[in-house]
Amino acid sequence: MRSPTRFRSAVAAALLGLLAGFAVPGGDAPAQAADDGATTVGDVTGFDHAGGVYRLSAGQAVARVSFVSPETFRLELAPEGTFTDPTGKDIVLPQGRAPHTKWREKSDRYELSTSKVTLRAYKSPLRFALYRADGTRLWAETKGLSWTKDATTQSLARGADEQFYGAGMQNGRGNTSHRGKKVEVAVDYNWNDGGHPNSVPFYLSSAGYGVFRNTYAPNTYDFAEPVTATAKEQRFDAYYFAGRGADAAKDVIGQYTKLTGRPFLPPIYGMEIGDADCYLHNANRGERHTLDALKVADGYVEHDMPNGWMLVNDGYGCGYENLAETSQGLAERKMKMGLWTEDGLDKIAEQVKAGQRVAKLDVAWVGDGYKKALDGCKDAYRGIEDNSDARGFTWAPESWSGAQRCGVQWSGDQSGGWEYIRWQIPTYAGSTMSGLAYTTGDVDGIFGGSPKTYVRDLQWKMFLPVTMTMDGWAASDKQPFRYGEPYTSINRKYLKLHESLLPYLYSYAHEATETGVGAVRPLALEYPDDPKAATDAAKYEFLTGEDFLVAPVHKDATTRDGIYLPKGTWTDYWSGRTYRGPTTIDGYSAPLDTLPLFVRGGASVPMWPGGIRSYEDRKADSPLAWDIYPQGKSSFELYEDDGVTRQHRDGKYATQRADVRAPRSGAGDVSVRIGASKGHFAGKQSNRPYAFTLHTGDAPSRVELDGRGLPRLASEAAYEKAARGWFYDRDDRGGVVQVKTASLRTDRAFELTLDDTSAVGGAVPGAAATVGAPAGQELGAGTPGKVAVDVTAGTKDATDVAVTLDVPEGWSAGTAKADRIPAGTTRRVEVAVTAAKDAKPGEQPLTASARHRSAGQERTAVQRFALGVMPEAPGKHATWASDMVWLKSTNGYGPAERDRSNGESGAADGRTPTLAGKTYEKGIGTHADSAIEVYPGGRCTKFTADVGIDDEINGYGEVAFSVEADGEVLWTSPKVTGASATVPVDVDVRGARHVELKVRDTNGSKSGDHADWAAAKFSCG
């Protein structure tokens, strides 16, 4: 979309002399046995060629080099002299005519060349090294290819600062460098942290090259010194890609996906969230029928939530009935029907004719190997296209090279929770480095989870092109509207944001069909020269396209530390505050409804405005919006087609380019040119109105459309009513210019000009004040109090400062003022606040606003933060922990229970707590790992309980209990098993405001960890 940054094109100079040691006296030496029992190829004993194919014999072994393009070639080695190709035509696609090549012999080597690269084949012994035409070395073997009876290995020198990426979906890894790590590429059915579903035998190097092993065999890549790449078969077959120019990494991904297939273009409904469950004879939910899926679909409609498709038979042994009626009912609700299969595709033709548009494949498709998995993906994809006018759209949890051209890869079945969020963040951006453009995981897993982790997981997954929520396996259904407020409203907010961003995401989806590069990207892909991009400093964040930096919250916290912003200007999406990178942000305020999200200076983001629920809500006269962060010269090309059929493959699509010119920094004019929409497709808008949001931080003196002034409107209300015009909103994200046009012809270009305004960040960069709020502030329901707000002046004094809080209905809040805050200093003010008497205990997000004047402009700084609303503290009596408000309740399996044991996955399905034969009327039943937080409020002196593993487990399980107060560990139990005696707890909690009761697993299995806090009680007063 935008000019790419550079990927290193050369390894460190310290390695350039390594090949000098390769030239040793020649001879007809046989293959050599290495110390590890492997055989290493010996000296060259013969050489011949036919066209662009070269053969080098080394005794019985034969190497073959075949050039595919000027930058791509295939290297094979047959230890016995006979070449085989188990993948056949499964993975590698026809590549057309081979390039022109030439060769020459030197005393110590043969040189095989295209116009772009030269492969050196050293004679004694046979070793290979790849060079660009300009003499830059890309890679060199440290020894010849070697083999055992069941494996072949290539050993390459590692550059001093060379980084490595790829190997497909590597759970918990991949968006930062594999350097120094061993990476497995194989089926292991481990869908958790450290597993590697959807493996791909491909890796790329920051030196500017990539390698694809053309095989179905398991691979091991050890990125040590030297780098060793091993496949478990006695044949060597690899393709090599030499990246070109300033964007070598993307080019390598492009060459790899040209060879194995570009990512497919999903239908637009496939990029809306999906929903999956079993609706026929579901053992977890009671007797149900397929048409019951429509009742769930109604829930999305009634809660005004986007949903593009539903899998109606997702569960082992789950069938279906009334298929056509179900499909028709979903269509009436603007959704498509999908089906899951565990055992075959024999009925796909009739299913597609009945309305199926999504095919989800089970792990059984890998049962006989990756060929079966790849064939399943292709057959399901083809089954949809052969029997409808729709695009193939499949999902698979285990796949291989080539699957990117026919489906989505998701990471399998996991349990929701904070750890699940943490390790998934690097997984999907890392997968992009292997040409996988659509990777994802179920929202909050299919087991476990909680309302809070569901919200946090859904937030960031709305910046993946595809995702799905899975129901029917957890204790209760997990649709985004199931948890009530505030969770439902927050989920709706992010689902609709994703829907609004579909023009941006869909344009990147189209780009992936041309380049192989998906929208979700590690920082290292866009900022390869940034030394932190390859490190853990950037592990838990990613880019969506070039413009959005997403840093998910992966802990139970309302702040986020360690957000790394690379070079450039970055704007907080919610507050409008700008940052200059490279920088690291700690203490970023992120209440539950706030995803840390930043936009790159220069971004132009096409959007669908209006809060629509479905792409089908778009009409012929619907507006198109552009969200613009002006800085320097920038552009974005919008891609549009009908979104559903395959007509785009016949050229029926359109593109429209936005070009923005603005100052690099500070004051100046801003122009936006929207070019004519080029191309045609069914349903293309011939006319449409446009809306613009320009993040300038300063009001323009005039706004023109094609040289004619647009009317300036005095208020947001007036702007909303007007058909055309502009409005500067000082209170919106640091100051934005809102512009709307009347309906304009799409086949004609137009230009919008803003006079006397500025680049993003304002006419005087950094002049505006910023707002913060100390973390951990609390307020009692119905009790008057004060909330502290910190106002920091920018590079200019902030004067006439007035701080207010946006509070919920039923609350009251005052205003705090400060006459002047000197530049660069911070003033803490206190705002009087009274929470409503019926305010729900727990986290309450608030917005602090500081209206002020600086650098000659009226400005407003805003900040979202979390205030803790506390329940009434206990009085002068004993209080059972199970009767108190739980500020936090996380549990390893199912919900934590009050006065019951944990039981199974459902609520209240446990029994009366029983430890060592003794039953207890009161207590808390949990399952490791768990944490229950209560609020003694400093009024209690002692906490007592009996703890152990409930008798319902019959002797197994192993856990440890702990009591923590205000972040300090007060007591920890020894290891407790199902056979242990009951452990008494008696802890001094005087002065403690918050107490957490925690249980952790101690043996790694978590099987049977049903841990009871029996007779858990606080003595207070």
Side-chain angles (χ1 to χ4, degrees):
M1 299 295 176
R2 178 173 302 283
S3 297
T5 52
R6 288 185 181 276
F7 211 89
R8 291 185 183 90
S9 61
V11 294
L15 291 174
L16 291 178
L18 280 181
L19 280 183
F22 284 6
V24 296
D28 298 340
Q32 301 295 311
D35 293 339
D36 59 5
T39 301
T40 301
V41 68
D43 295 349
V44 173
T45 56
F47 173 83
D48 63 75
H49 70 96
V53 179
Y54 299 87
R55 292 171 59 96
L56 298 102
S57 301
Q60 188 176 11
V62 180
R64 182 166 64 188
V65 178
S66 311
F67 284 91
V68 176
S69 78
E71 299 90 4
T72 301
F73 66 90
R74 182 184 189 182
L75 172 60
E76 301 169 88
L77 178 75
E80 305 290 333
T82 301
F83 292 99
T84 60
D85 188 358
T87 66
K89 298 180 180 180
D90 295 346
I91 301 174
V92 174
L93 301 178
Q95 297 297 299
R97 179 178 297 180
H100 172 72
T101 65
K102 60 183 180 181
W103 68 276
R104 64 177 178 173
E105 182 177 6
K106 291 193 171 184
S107 61
D108 65 334
R109 64 183 183 266
Y110 294 94
E111 293 185 351
L112 319 177
S113 301
T114 69
S115 60
K116 301 297 183 181
V117 297
T118 293
L119 180 66
R120 295 182 181 180
Y122 288 86
K123 297 178 180 179
S124 183
L126 175 60
R127 284 187 292 254
F128 294 96
L130 182 65
Y131 286 75
R132 297 187 193 277
D134 64 4
T136 304
R137 199 182 76 192
L138 292 173
W139 58 259
E141 291 183 333
T142 58
K143 68 174 187 177
L145 296 169
S146 61
W147 63 89
T148 65
K149 61 181 179 63
D150 56 6
T152 52
T153 299
Q154 184 176 43
S155 300
L156 301 179
R158 189 182 73 179
D161 62 351
E162 189 174 3
Q163 310 298 331
F164 302 90
Y165 304 89
M169 185 182 285
Q170 297 286 325
N171 285 352
R173 299 155 292 159
N175 71 333
T176 53
S177 177
H178 292 315
R179 181 183 173 94
K181 301 170 185 175
K182 182 180 290 187
V183 179
E184 300 292 340
V185 175
V187 178
D188 67 348
Y189 299 111
N190 177 6
W191 293 337
N192 294 308
D193 191 10
H196 36 87
N198 297 296
S199 291
V200 173
F202 164 84
Y203 70 88
L204 62 82
S205 162
S206 64
Y209 72 89
V211 185
F212 162 61
R213 289 292 278 267
N214 183 35
T215 181
Y216 284 127
N219 282 238
T220 300
Y221 305 139
D222 189 349
F223 296 107
E225 172 54 66
V227 173
T228 59
T230 301
K232 292 185 178 179
E233 59 182 356
Q234 201 193 60
R235 57 184 291 276
F236 184 90
D237 188 352
Y239 286 83
Y240 297 82
F241 315 97
R244 290 171 291 188
D247 200 16
K250 290 181 182 177
D251 187 60
V252 166
I253 295 170
Q255 291 182 48
Y256 162 71
T257 54
K258 182 176 184 296
L259 185 77
T260 63
R262 300 286 198 215
F264 76 114
L265 181 63
I268 195 71
Y269 54 79
M271 296 178 71
E272 298 172 324
I273 194 171
D275 187 290
D277 201 352
C278 172
Y279 290 99
L280 187 63
H281 315 313
N282 187 321
N284 294 331
R285 296 292 184 267
E287 184 64 14
R288 295 198 300 187
H289 297 277
T290 305
L291 285 170
D292 289 334
L294 302 183
K295 300 174 185 176
V296 174
D298 285 337
Y300 284 94
V301 177
E302 291 163 5
H303 289 89
D304 191 23
M305 288 183 168
N307 184 64
W309 48 279
M310 292 186 69
L311 294 168
V312 299
N313 70 327
D314 202 334
Y316 286 101
C318 188
Y320 57 78
E321 58 190 11
N322 304 116
L323 209 58
E325 295 90 336
T326 301
S327 175
Q328 179 60 36
L330 289 174
E332 292 168 359
R333 293 156 176 84
K334 301 177 181 178
M335 303 174 197
K336 304 296 183 184
M337 184 181 70
L339 293 173
W340 176 78
T341 177
E342 62 186 283
D343 54 8
L345 294 166
D346 56 304
K347 297 180 180 179
I348 194 165
E350 61 187 78
Q351 290 168 169
V352 171
K353 290 172 183 177
Q356 179 186 2
R357 293 297 180 267
V358 186
K360 180 184 172 190
L361 309 178
D362 186 57
V363 291
W365 286 107
V366 198
D368 296 333
Y370 275 127
K371 176 175 170 53
K372 185 175 180 182
L374 190 55
D375 286 345
C377 178
K378 295 175 186 176
D379 291 346
Y381 185 88
R382 197 161 45 239
I384 292 172
E385 297 203 343
D386 287 349
N387 296 283
S388 73
D389 65 351
R391 302 174 195 175
F393 187 51
T394 77
W395 284 54
E398 294 282 357
S399 64
W400 199 245
S401 288
Q404 73 274 0
R405 62 189 189 238
C406 56
V408 173
Q409 289 76 43
W410 100 102
S411 56
D413 300 340
Q414 297 97 14
S415 181
W418 298 109
E419 273 295 285
Y420 173 65
I421 296 173
R422 180 195 62 77
W423 65 254
Q424 285 204 39
I425 298 167
T427 302
Y428 307 127
S431 300
T432 300
M433 300 299 263
S434 298
L436 301 179
Y438 306 100
T439 55
T440 190
D442 299 314
V443 177
D444 206 30
I446 70 170
F447 311 105
S450 68
K452 187 178 287 188
T453 56
Y454 191 99
V455 164
R456 286 299 196 193
D457 200 35
L458 182 140
Q459 282 175 351
W460 72 272
K461 284 180 176 168
M462 292 300 94
F463 284 83
L464 305 179
V466 292
T467 197
M468 174 174 67
T469 186
M470 178 72 188
D471 309 291
W473 294 71
S476 59
D477 281 350
K478 302 185 78 170
Q479 283 93 7
F481 50 80
R482 294 291 186 186
Y483 293 116
E485 295 300 340
Y487 312 107
T488 296
S489 292
I490 300 172
N491 291 337
R492 181 188 301 111
K493 167 185 171 180
Y494 283 93
L495 285 164
K496 287 204 163 185
L497 177 58
H498 179 85
E499 195 76 16
S500 293
L501 287 171
L502 282 177
Y504 177 81
L505 293 169
Y506 197 62
S507 296
Y508 271 101
H510 166 69
E511 183 182 90
T513 67
E514 297 186 329
T515 67
V517 180
V520 180
R521 303 173 178 186
L523 268 63
L525 186 61
E526 298 293 344
Y527 301 90
D529 292 323
D530 187 325
K532 289 191 175 182
T535 72
D536 284 355
K539 185 172 184 178
Y540 297 112
E541 59 193 62
F542 61 90
L543 298 165
T544 297
E546 296 180 15
D547 297 323
F548 289 99
L549 188 148
V550 187
V553 176
H554 54 87
K555 298 178 180 177
D556 189 4
T558 58
T559 58
R560 171 67 150 83
D561 292 333
I563 300 174
Y564 180 69
L565 303 180
K567 182 180 179 181
T569 300
W570 296 91
T571 300
D572 186 322
Y573 186 78
W574 310 110
S575 71
R577 179 177 178 179
T578 58
Y579 299 84
R580 291 291 298 172
T583 188
T584 299
I585 304 171
D586 290 325
Y588 179 91
S589 182
L592 185 61
D593 64 359
T594 302
L595 168 73
L597 179 65
F598 303 86
V599 189
R600 183 186 58 83
S604 299
V605 180
M607 301 180 71
W608 288 338
I612 61 175
R613 192 187 66 79
S614 166
Y615 76 95
E616 293 187 39
D617 292 336
R618 295 280 297 169
K619 307 302 180 186
D621 59 350
S622 292
L624 179 70
W626 287 92
D627 192 28
I628 296 173
Y629 298 74
Q631 187 177 57
K633 294 182 180 180
S634 60
S635 64
F636 188 95
E637 187 167 271
L638 171 71
Y639 171 87
E640 299 175 285
D641 60 27
D642 66 26
V644 178
T645 74
R646 304 188 296 274
Q647 292 185 20
H648 65 287
R649 299 177 191 170
D650 297 324
K652 295 182 178 180
Y653 61 85
T655 60
Q656 188 174 33
R657 182 181 171 100
D659 287 284
V660 180
R661 296 172 65 95
R664 284 299 307 167
S665 180
D669 299 339
V670 173
S671 69
V672 181
R673 184 183 188 277
I674 303 297
S677 177
K678 300 177 180 179
H680 299 279
F681 60 90
K684 179 184 174 180
Q685 292 176 291
S686 58
N687 297 270
R688 63 184 169 203
Y690 291 82
F692 296 87
T693 301
L694 296 107
H695 299 256
T696 61
D698 280 273
S701 62
R702 177 180 171 85
V703 176
E704 297 178 344
L705 178 63
D706 284 338
R708 296 184 177 182
L710 288 172
R712 180 171 186 172
L713 303 165
S715 67
E716 184 177 7
Y719 178 79
E720 292 297 327
K721 291 179 182 178
R724 56 191 287 271
W726 67 276
F727 168 61
Y728 178 72
D729 191 345
R730 63 170 281 191
D731 295 331
D732 185 8
R733 293 166 289 176
V736 301
V737 184
Q738 303 278 4
V739 185
K740 63 168 64 171
T741 75
S743 187
L744 302 174
R745 289 179 56 168
T746 57
D747 64 350
R748 293 183 179 177
F750 66 90
E751 187 166 13
L752 192 71
T753 305
L754 285 70
D755 296 336
D756 305 316
T757 183
S758 65
V760 63
V764 182
T770 59
V771 177
Q777 297 188 77
E778 297 175 354
L779 193 68
T783 304
K786 292 185 177 181
V787 172
V789 176
D790 293 332
V791 182
T792 302
T795 57
K796 302 295 182 180
D797 291 359
T799 60
D800 302 325
V801 181
V803 179
T804 59
L805 293 177
D806 181 15
V807 296
E809 185 177 353
W811 291 44
S812 64
T815 300
K817 295 185 177 182
D819 291 336
R820 179 180 296 274
I821 302 175
T825 67
T826 299
R827 177 82 53 84
R828 175 165 292 180
V829 299
E830 293 186 327
V831 182
V833 180
T834 301
K837 289 184 178 180
D838 59 353
K840 185 178 179 181
E843 177 189 329
Q844 176 60 58
L846 302 177
T847 299
S849 299
R851 293 173 67 88
H852 63 285
R853 185 173 180 81
S854 65
Q857 285 271 1
E858 302 291 337
R859 306 181 187 278
T860 304
V862 299
Q863 181 61 62
R864 196 77 164 154
F865 69 98
L867 179 72
V869 178
M870 295 299 105
E872 185 178 358
K876 296 182 179 181
H877 51 74
T879 299
W880 298 108
S882 58
D883 293 339
M884 298 174 74
V885 172
W886 292 352
L887 297 176
K888 178 170 67 178
S889 174
T890 60
N891 204 49
Y893 187 67
E897 303 281 9
R898 299 176 187 266
D899 304 326
R900 291 179 178 270
S901 64
N902 184 81
E904 296 300 328
S905 63
D909 62 359
R911 65 181 190 179
T912 302
T914 306
L915 298 176
K918 180 180 178 179
T919 59
Y920 297 80
E921 292 186 4
K922 305 294 291 182
I924 301 173
T926 68
H927 190 292
D929 294 326
S930 67
I932 308 294
E933 181 183 347
V934 295
Y935 183 71
R939 294 186 182 180
C940 300
T941 58
K942 184 167 64 172
F943 171 74
T944 58
D946 288 342
V947 298
I949 293 181
D950 196 277
D951 290 354
E952 66 189 355
I953 292 306
N954 297 323
Y956 58 98
E958 185 182 297
V959 300
F961 295 78
S962 63
V963 178
E964 299 183 13
D966 300 326
E968 179 184 355
V969 178
L970 301 182
W971 173 85
T972 301
S973 77
K975 290 182 182 179
V976 177
T977 71
S980 297
T982 301
V983 178
V985 185
D986 190 334
V987 181
D988 186 339
V989 294
R990 281 177 291 188
R993 294 177 59 81
H994 294 258
V995 171
E996 287 191 75
L997 309 178
K998 292 186 175 182
V999 180
R1000 63 178 178 86
D1001 170 72
T1002 55
N1003 64 0
S1005 74
K1006 296 188 180 180
S1007 178
D1009 288 348
H1010 290 217
D1012 290 344
W1013 295 88
K1017 181 174 63 177
F1018 288 88
S1019 299
C1020 308

